[in-house]
Amino acid sequence: MTTKPTEDDLHTVFKRSDLGGDDRLDLMEFGMVLDSIGLSWTRAEVQDRFERADTNRDGYISLPELRVLLESQGWNESGVHSAHG
Ligand SMILES: [Ca+2]
């Protein structure tokens, strides 16, 4: 039995939503990540968070950018596996 590092979990969600396979998320893919982890934001909120998360202004969200955003929203990585909270 090995303990999986929590990093794998967000990474897995990230990769699953990264349809382009280029290690970054566009706005639509970003929305899919939010769905995957159970965050329901309005379209305007998603757009707003996307722009705020994109700290290097390249128009895409990288995994580190995603992590910073989610942590700033109080999201916990354990939410990936447990539906109860
Ligand atoms: Ca970026």
Side-chain angles (χ1 to χ4, degrees), residues 24 53-62 65:
R24 55 188 195 174
D54 183 18
T55 48
N56 68 354
R57 297 280 166 206
D58 65 351
Y60 296 92
I61 304 303
S62 63
E65 286 172 341

Side-chain angles (χ1 to χ4, degrees), residues 4-64:
K4 238 169 116 186
T6 54
E7 182 155 354
D8 276 2
D9 301 319
L10 185 57
H11 188 239
T12 300
V13 172
F14 184 94
K15 293 300 286 185
R16 198 166 52 216
S17 302
D18 177 23
L19 301 181
D22 52 5
D23 289 324
R24 55 188 195 174
L25 305 175
D26 63 23
L27 183 58
M28 189 198 79
E29 292 167 345
F30 179 65
M32 289 173 57
V33 167
L34 300 180
D35 277 351
S36 295
I37 63 179
L39 284 177
S40 51
W41 289 342
T42 67
R43 200 171 145 178
E45 283 172 331
V46 171
Q47 176 84 48
D48 179 66
R49 302 305 194 283
F50 184 92
E51 288 171 6
R52 276 203 256 170
D54 183 18
T55 48
N56 68 354
R57 297 280 166 206
D58 65 351
Y60 296 92
I61 304 303
S62 63
L63 181 58

